[in-house]
């Protein structure tokens, strides 16, 4: 009598011998020096985060809420900004990520929130027909100008524009307005969403100034928004440290490093072409494009809707800022009264000792 083969769910099947598949060859271990550097970088990252997260709460009492405009912080730090971040960005590989991202830029390029021009050395100028560096901080922009003139004196198709990326952006050189397929082929923003009020609207406004809104037009390469940002991690324990450290860091540097970059991009409604994350998920490299539903939409309609939302946000933030300043004033006044009262009590006690 022929024996019946055991079923997959039976215990007898679990005892049947299985043929082991050959293991793939192991990846070569990184060089010892590289392993030490990676380990050291991780420890330093943890130490810096831990240090910020355990600052006294009094440091962050006056920190403004996240939607407020923090660009004024950069006016005071512009002169030493590069010196403060050069080593840390090199150590964590941020400089390398900047180079890789910016090297993709082509055609008419606008870099929003360009700061001190930390990306200036990484553009492939043979592929860039014009370059516009825009920032809301005049002091930061002056540093970027001096840096560019020193390193690229022969390249004359670069201009510097003082203004907010939440406002109407300037047309590319040689164009008047944003009609038809006029606009930028590449828009870049690095480490900017952390300090921008309404970051999803910031992205929508950039998208409204891209070229090739006419779906019938043929372009050698589709227009793109390239981002390098820092924000929340994969891990809840690290997000906890980032959240604790965020108020003190925002007060000092004007940067909220605990924002949810993925949620910001989703709220913008733009299409995600590619995403890469490093440093426990806190560093984001993104390539964005116009969503399919926007390609048949009139550009002016897109921009008008975006500007209405920006105006509403700015009005709400303005009212909240006034209320916040009033609370701070009342708090400081209460402290002064308490200090004066305590000083008066001390004075009275001293008088009683001298003249009982």
């Amino acid at each position: 009598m022929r024996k019946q083969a055991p079923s997959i769910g039976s215990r007898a099947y679990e005892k049947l011998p299985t043929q082991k598949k050959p293991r793939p060859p192991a990846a070569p271990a990184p060089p010892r020096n590289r392993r030490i550097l990676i380990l050291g970088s991780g420890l330093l990252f943890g130490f810096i985060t831990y240090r910020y997260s355990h600052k006294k709460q009094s440091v962050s009492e006056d920190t403004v809420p996240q939607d407020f405009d923090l660009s004024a912080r950069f006016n005071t730090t512009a002169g030493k900004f590069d010196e403060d971040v050069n080593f840390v960005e090199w150590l964590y590989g941020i400089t390398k990520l900047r180079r890789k991202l910016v090297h993709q830029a082509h055609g008419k390029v606008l870099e929003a929130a360009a700061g001190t021009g930390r990306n200036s050395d990484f553009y492939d100028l043979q592929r860039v027909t014009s370059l516009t560096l825009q920032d809301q901080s005049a002091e930061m922009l002056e540093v970027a100008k001096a840096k560019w003139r020193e390193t690229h004196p022969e390249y004359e198709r670069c201009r510097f524009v003082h203004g907010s990326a939440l406002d109407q952006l300037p047309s590319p050189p040689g164009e008047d307005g944003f009609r038809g397929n006029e606009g930028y082929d590449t828009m870049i923003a690095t480490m900017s969403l952390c300090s921008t009020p309404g970051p999803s609207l910031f992205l929508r406004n950039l998208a409204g100034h891209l070229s090739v809104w006419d779906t019938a037009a043929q372009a050698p390469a589709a227009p793109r928004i390239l981002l390098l940002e820092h924000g929340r991690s994969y891990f809840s324990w690290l997000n906890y440290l980032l959240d604790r450290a965020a108020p003190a860091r925002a007060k000092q540097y004007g940067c909220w490093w605990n924002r949810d970059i993925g949620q910001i991009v989703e709220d913008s409604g733009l299409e995600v072409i590619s995403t890469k994350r490093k440093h426990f998920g806190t560093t984001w490299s993104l390539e964005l494009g116009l969503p399919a539903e926007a390609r048949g939409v009139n550009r002016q309609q897109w921009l008008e809707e975006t500007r209405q939302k920006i105006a509403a946000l700015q009005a709400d933030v303005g009212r909240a800022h006034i209320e916040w300043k009033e609370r701070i004033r009342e708090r400081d006044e209460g402290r002064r009264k308490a200090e004066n009262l305590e000083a008066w009590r001390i004075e009275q006690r001293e008088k009683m000792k001298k003249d009982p």
Side-chain angles (χ1 to χ4, degrees), residues 24-257:
R32 178 178 176 83
N33 291 342
R34 186 182 173 191
R35 292 200 303 268
I36 293 174
L37 181 61
I38 293 172
L39 177 60
S41 299
L43 292 174
L44 181 60
F45 179 81
F47 169 75
I48 292 174
T49 309
Y50 179 84
R51 176 177 172 271
Y52 269 108
S53 67
H54 284 75
K55 279 181 175 288
K56 295 180 180 179
Q57 292 300 313
S58 59
V59 172
S60 60
E61 279 186 355
D62 297 340
T63 303
V64 297
Q66 286 206 25
D67 285 335
F68 285 13
D69 185 354
L70 301 177
S71 59
R73 300 289 194 279
F74 297 105
N75 292 334
T76 60
T77 61
K80 61 176 184 177
F81 186 82
D82 287 335
E83 181 182 347
D84 288 345
V85 301
N86 275 341
F87 176 74
V88 173
E89 287 205 350
W90 171 83
L91 181 64
Y92 290 132
I94 300 297
T95 304
K96 185 177 180 180
L97 293 175
R98 286 181 182 272
R99 180 182 293 107
K100 185 176 180 180
L101 182 89
V102 174
H103 196 72
Q104 302 174 56
H106 70 276
K108 298 167 292 184
V109 179
L110 180 138
E111 183 178 341
T116 60
R118 296 189 60 76
N119 298 321
S120 297
D121 290 340
F122 308 139
Y123 286 99
D124 183 354
L125 297 180
Q126 294 182 349
R127 302 179 63 219
V128 175
T129 57
S130 70
L131 178 60
T132 301
L133 301 181
Q134 176 267 354
D135 198 272
Q136 191 170 356
S137 168
E139 286 76 4
M140 285 277 194
L141 211 56
E142 285 301 318
V143 176
K145 283 182 185 179
K147 190 183 299 183
W148 183 270
R149 289 167 183 163
E150 180 180 351
T151 56
H152 304 285
E154 74 289 347
Y155 190 85
E156 300 178 352
R157 298 190 303 276
C158 179
R159 62 178 179 169
F160 301 84
V161 177
H162 178 221
S164 170
L166 290 173
D167 297 333
Q168 170 72 48
L169 298 178
S171 303
E175 297 183 3
D176 183 17
F178 290 88
R179 295 182 294 272
N181 292 322
E182 294 180 340
Y184 294 97
D185 303 308
T186 309
M187 306 190 93
I188 290 178
T190 58
M191 307 301 174
S192 57
L193 298 182
C194 61
S195 56
T196 301
S200 61
L201 294 176
F202 170 94
L203 294 178
R204 285 184 63 86
N205 197 42
L206 294 186
H209 295 84
L210 287 171
S211 62
V212 196
W213 270 72
D214 183 356
T215 54
Q218 298 295 323
R224 291 286 184 260
I225 298 175
L226 305 178
L227 300 178
L228 178 63
E229 301 293 341
H230 56 179
R232 300 189 74 75
S233 167
Y234 297 123
F235 304 104
S236 57
W237 62 267
L238 183 51
N239 288 332
Y240 169 77
L241 293 178
L242 291 174
D243 290 341
R244 281 184 58 89
R249 183 172 178 84
K251 182 177 181 181
Q252 184 174 0
Y253 293 107
C255 162
W256 290 98
W257 67 354

